[in-house]
Amino acid sequence: MSDTERSNRAVYWGTGRRKKAIARVRLVPGEGKVVINGKAGDLYLQFNPTYIAGVKAPLETLGLENEYDVLVNAHGGGVTGQADAIKLGVARALCELAPENRKPLKVEGYMTRDPRCKERKKYGLKKARKAPQYSKR
């Protein structure tokens, strides 16, 4: 593929975050492959059907699962956080593709950023809320 062909291809970007995980997602016209950090999507997501289905769910909602390749650069957090970050990134990229995609994705809950993250440790405690063992005598 020449440089002019590569520049003419439509690429749609979306960023997803969950806990400490960040995923930069590119949607490129293709045949439905998922590539995460240079590895096949199922291999990277440890062949877990829940994670794999979650990543592809926004595309399946719109019926585009075989029309776009999903190329992801993910870092931080664990596999669960990264899978959810990728799902949000794919949904945001699909909104960039066509603004009318936003409503069905929002109804399914794919446009919601999960705000939960690890609570900070407080002084005098062993963890965020775990207190040292109490001794009466």
Side-chain angles (χ1 to χ4, degrees):
M1 180 183 318
S2 70
D3 288 336
T4 55
E5 289 176 1
R6 200 172 285 138
S7 65
N8 289 338
R9 291 177 80 181
V11 178
Y12 303 98
W13 288 88
T15 303
R17 291 181 196 87
R18 169 89 205 298
K19 293 185 175 181
K20 290 283 184 183
I22 299 172
R24 292 184 309 236
V25 178
R26 280 184 298 165
L27 286 184
V28 181
E31 58 271 352
K33 290 188 295 187
V34 177
V35 179
I36 305 170
N37 292 348
K39 294 182 181 178
D42 3 349
L43 177 67
Y44 190 86
L45 297 172
Q46 303 170 353
F47 298 98
N48 185 320
T50 307
Y51 297 154
I52 296 165
V55 166
K56 295 180 180 178
L59 290 164
E60 290 170 359
T61 300
L62 300 173
L64 301 172
E65 59 267 15
N66 296 324
E67 294 181 33
Y68 289 94
D69 289 342
V70 180
L71 307 175
V72 183
N73 183 344
H75 66 278
V79 182
T80 303
Q82 288 184 359
D84 285 346
I86 293 167
K87 179 168 57 173
L88 178 59
V90 169
R92 286 180 172 174
L94 287 168
C95 287
E96 188 180 306
L97 179 128
E100 62 269 9
N101 291 342
R102 183 172 175 81
K103 186 149 174 89
L105 292 172
K106 189 142 179 75
V107 168
E108 292 293 325
Y110 300 135
M111 296 302 297
T112 305
R113 169 28 171 132
D114 192 340
R116 294 175 295 172
C117 64
K118 188 169 180 169
E119 192 174 339
R120 79 171 192 85
K121 183 190 177 302
K122 279 76 169 193
Y123 63 88
L125 301 180
K126 292 189 177 292
K127 297 191 323 189
R129 299 186 184 204
K130 183 176 171 57
Q133 187 172 356
Y134 173 72
S135 173
K136 194 168 184 179
R137 283 177 197 90

